[in-house]
Amino acid sequence: MQAYKDANGDLIMDTAALEGRMLDYWAMRVCGHDHEKTMAMLVDEGEAPSTNWDYGGPIIHVHRIAISPIPPTMEKWVACWIRPAPSSLIVMPPNGSAGPPRVVANADTPLRAAMVALVFGYAGDRVAVPPDVQALVTRTAACAGPQ
């Protein structure tokens, strides 16, 4: 399951499936920005922590998220972050015997892996996507045209 509508009609997504503007939205929200400020940053300022090191780099530094390429091909990335909150369902080690629980996420880029780990740690394995964020993603995709 990657996305579905709940009983209220809200779009619910698996955190691991977040990308682009939806991931940027949630990364900024878990960093403490309210909805209105986050939308302004996405629309007016073009802030994109999942694709731009100027925004994502400081988040990785402040939260001390470790990132590394995955051997043997080194084409995918893993991010590991000491879990700050009990909300995440994706933690290693499961029994806690090898150190503190940590959030682990894999992705195609180091920034995306780090932002997914951050959102997992604070918001858990599923998040609600507000209608205006869905509309922003739809508008952005329409402006980009066919790939």
Side-chain angles (χ1 to χ4, degrees):
M1 164 191 37
Q2 289 192 6
Y4 65 92
K5 297 260 184 176
D6 68 5
N8 297 325
D10 295 328
L11 180 66
I12 307 297
M13 287 194 71
D14 286 348
T15 301
L18 293 174
E19 60 185 359
R21 293 293 195 190
M22 286 190 192
L23 179 55
D24 294 334
Y25 172 82
W26 275 103
M28 289 185 277
R29 288 301 310 272
V30 301
C31 284
H33 299 296
D34 66 20
H35 176 75
E36 288 75 25
K37 173 71 174 166
T38 299
M39 289 302 292
M41 292 165 67
L42 285 172
V43 174
D44 301 332
E45 301 169 25
E47 188 162 324
S50 70
T51 57
N52 186 325
W53 282 98
D54 290 339
Y55 300 112
I59 293 171
I60 291 169
H61 177 78
V62 166
H63 292 277
R64 298 177 183 243
I65 301 170
I67 51 177
S68 177
I70 302 173
T73 63
M74 310 301 251
E75 293 176 6
K76 297 275 185 180
W77 292 82
V78 63
C80 181
W81 182 44
I82 301 296
R83 187 177 71 164
S87 63
S88 176
L89 299 179
I90 308 283
V91 292
M92 290 180 49
N95 61 6
S97 63
R102 47 198 167 272
V103 179
V104 178
N106 299 325
D108 53 341
T109 69
L111 283 172
R112 182 165 179 262
M115 294 308 117
V116 168
L118 181 74
V119 175
F120 260 126
Y122 280 115
D125 64 337
R126 292 186 194 98
V127 294
V129 181
D132 49 350
V133 176
Q134 293 174 47
L136 173 64
V137 170
T138 302
R139 281 194 313 271
T140 303
C143 290
Q147 300 293 320

